[in-house]
Amino acid sequence: MSILNLNTYESLVTSISETYSYGKSKSFRAVNAVLIETYWKIGQHIVEFEQRGNAKAEYGSQLLERLSKDLSLQFGKGFSLSNIKRFRQFYIIYPIQVTIAQELPIAENHETPISAKASHQLQMNENQQSPIGATLSHQLSWSHYVELLKIESSVERSFYEKQTIIENWSIPELIRQKKSSLFLRLAAGKNKEEILQLARQGQIIEKPEDILKDTYIFEFLKIPEPYHLSETNLETKLINQLQSFLLELGKGFAFIGRQYRITLANRHHFIDLVFYHRILKCFVLIDLKKEEAGYEDVGQMNMYLGYMEAEQNVDGDNPPIGIVLARHKDELQIKYAMSHTNSKLFVQKYQLYLPNEDELRREIERIYENEK
């Protein structure tokens, strides 16, 4: 090795490693795209056979059962009845497919122009929830689509699809966000147009309010009810499950520290959790309360915000955001306590169990009914 320039050799190793990693990633995406197209095309064949040019044709289960039996004999695994039904559903729910070349950097003259539109009448017959247009993307794996196909509402499905792409969710992360009713929680308090925008674009973060949830869900801590935890123990459990905690907080959060010490008038104060938000370019301070948030908690957080902005911010940083996270809050007391405080201070609730999805769904349906 002495005859080689060590720096030059390390540069060579780095170049080869980067090239190999890029090629491996590109190959995986290309294979995934072909697999997605194949399943979509199978669904297209089935639907067009059923339609015979007539979108009002009746479908029966006999065709799907026979297809499953014959294709399984010919190809083995992969053509179970549930998969055949899923391929058909896949095509109906995603009637518009882009080409591989539109999403992947594939060499010229090797495009796969499978771009087609199914009967929109058929789509509306089987998917009446909303006028959200579904376009198939190769940025998701087939396993992601399997989870998305389980969502009946096209509005919800569109949100989870967009958000999975934006935040690069794994399959377990997507499943967790569905179980925690993330879309319904984000949609709470919005009007109909805002809900549809959330479905079309995913969660867009432009201002402090955009990172808030009506209620934060900490079911991943697996703390049984009733629980008897101190705020310190709750904080420790959240940090021990930091990846799950960051997933619940949402995109853009970077962990800075816990029990972050600040000194005022020769006295030490400790902020429970401090994050930096990469999109909003500001500190986010979180104060945990095991029971109800009071006016004194609002005053304390207001002091923390003033200190962080004056002493910790650097050029380019925006004013910090403060969130008091409590099990309960008295709306009227908090309203008066915050009447002359920092506009970037919020008091939000958390719970240790999954939300009641039916109650959240009824609230969204009520908004739709009131705005007809």
Side-chain angles (χ1 to χ4, degrees):
M1 185 64 68
S2 59
I3 62 174
L4 297 174
N5 183 300
L6 188 59
N7 290 334
T8 303
Y9 177 76
E10 289 179 348
S11 177
L12 173 63
V13 171
T14 299
S15 297
I16 292 174
S17 299
E18 291 175 351
T19 300
Y20 177 78
S21 297
Y22 173 75
K24 190 175 180 180
S25 173
K26 185 176 176 181
S27 298
F28 173 79
R29 287 184 291 142
V31 169
N32 178 68
V34 171
L35 186 67
I36 295 296
E37 284 193 353
T38 300
Y39 292 159
W40 185 88
K41 195 70 175 175
I42 291 171
Q44 182 185 30
H45 289 319
I46 294 171
V47 170
E48 290 182 351
F49 181 87
E50 289 175 325
Q51 287 180 299
R52 293 190 181 280
N54 182 358
K56 296 180 181 179
E58 296 181 359
Y59 323 136
S61 61
Q62 291 184 352
L63 170 65
L64 303 184
E65 291 172 358
R66 182 171 178 179
L67 277 174
S68 174
K69 180 179 178 181
D70 291 343
L71 292 171
S72 293
L73 287 173
Q74 185 174 352
F75 297 105
K77 295 181 180 179
F79 287 98
S80 65
L81 181 57
S82 60
N83 277 349
I84 291 290
K85 289 180 177 179
R86 196 168 283 135
F87 298 153
R88 176 181 178 276
Q89 182 192 15
F90 190 38
Y91 175 76
I92 291 171
I93 287 180
Y94 292 93
I96 304 172
Q97 181 182 198
V98 297
T99 65
I100 290 179
Q102 286 177 278
E103 292 197 324
L104 294 176
I106 294 180
E108 294 182 7
N109 302 322
H110 288 82
E111 297 180 5
T112 307
I114 305 177
S115 179
K117 292 187 179 180
S119 164
H120 285 282
Q121 182 62 46
L122 176 60
Q123 184 198 16
M124 292 307 295
N125 287 344
E126 300 210 2
N127 190 14
Q128 294 282 355
Q129 314 311 359
S130 133
I132 294 288
T135 301
L136 181 62
S137 169
H138 298 107
Q139 293 177 266
L140 300 177
S141 70
W142 173 245
S143 296
H144 283 106
Y145 278 115
V146 169
E147 291 303 319
L148 292 170
L149 291 174
K150 296 175 184 177
I151 303 173
E152 293 184 7
S153 166
S154 60
V155 175
E156 285 186 54
R157 189 188 313 112
S158 176
F159 166 78
Y160 285 111
E161 178 188 345
K162 301 296 188 300
Q163 208 64 26
T164 299
I165 293 173
I166 291 171
E167 299 200 39
N168 195 28
W169 284 341
S170 65
I171 308 303
E173 288 172 340
L174 171 59
I175 293 172
R176 187 270 167 185
Q177 297 294 47
K178 285 168 51 185
K179 284 184 176 180
S180 73
S181 302
L182 176 62
F183 170 74
L184 298 176
R185 289 188 287 136
L186 289 174
K190 298 182 183 296
N191 60 38
K192 183 176 179 179
E193 183 54 41
E194 289 172 334
I195 293 172
L196 290 176
Q197 181 179 352
L198 181 65
R200 293 189 189 101
Q201 300 178 3
Q203 185 184 16
I204 305 300
I205 296 176
E206 297 175 334
K207 56 187 184 299
E209 290 80 3
D210 293 335
I211 68 172
L212 300 177
K213 294 181 176 69
D214 184 60
T215 302
Y216 289 82
I217 306 299
F218 297 155
E219 93 295 342
F220 52 85
L221 297 180
K222 296 181 172 56
I223 300 174
E225 294 277 2
Y227 79 105
H228 301 284
L229 277 182
S230 68
E231 289 164 5
T232 300
N233 287 337
L234 177 60
E235 175 189 319
T236 299
K237 284 184 173 292
L238 287 172
I239 295 305
N240 289 342
Q241 295 276 350
L242 185 58
Q243 184 174 356
S244 297
F245 187 31
L246 288 171
L247 180 65
E248 173 62 10
L249 289 176
K251 64 178 179 178
F253 282 84
F255 180 62
I256 300 297
R258 60 179 294 196
Q259 292 300 304
Y260 192 92
R261 190 176 76 176
I262 63 175
T263 303
L264 285 170
N266 214 30
R267 290 182 58 189
H268 299 313
H269 302 269
F270 297 88
I271 307 171
D272 288 345
L273 299 168
V274 177
F275 297 85
Y276 190 84
H277 202 279
R278 296 179 293 103
I279 299 173
L280 296 177
K281 299 189 184 307
C282 67
F283 288 105
V284 180
L285 318 180
I286 295 180
D287 194 21
L288 297 168
K289 299 300 169 187
K290 68 175 183 177
E291 293 298 340
E292 185 173 355
Y295 61 87
E296 65 279 4
D297 302 313
V298 172
Q300 177 178 262
M301 177 58 77
N302 199 47
M303 178 186 72
Y304 291 163
L305 292 175
Y307 175 88
M308 293 295 286
E309 182 171 8
E311 303 293 339
Q312 298 290 309
N313 271 16
V314 298
D315 289 343
D317 283 345
N318 290 314
I321 297 169
I323 303 174
V324 178
L325 266 182
R327 191 74 188 276
H328 310 286
K329 68 175 180 177
D330 183 294
E331 297 288 350
L332 188 60
Q333 183 187 74
I334 296 301
K335 176 183 176 181
Y336 289 144
M338 296 180 62
S339 59
H340 295 292
T341 60
N342 194 307
S343 63
K344 294 177 176 58
L345 194 163
F346 306 92
V347 179
Q348 305 296 117
K349 294 187 295 184
Y350 69 84
Q351 63 188 48
L352 301 172
Y353 50 87
L354 291 172
N356 187 315
E357 184 176 339
D358 291 338
E359 290 181 3
L360 290 171
R361 198 173 300 283
R362 282 195 293 271
E363 175 63 20
I364 302 303
E365 290 172 355
R366 184 189 62 78
I367 293 172
Y368 267 64
E369 287 297 321
N370 289 344
E371 296 195 19
K372 278 186 177 179

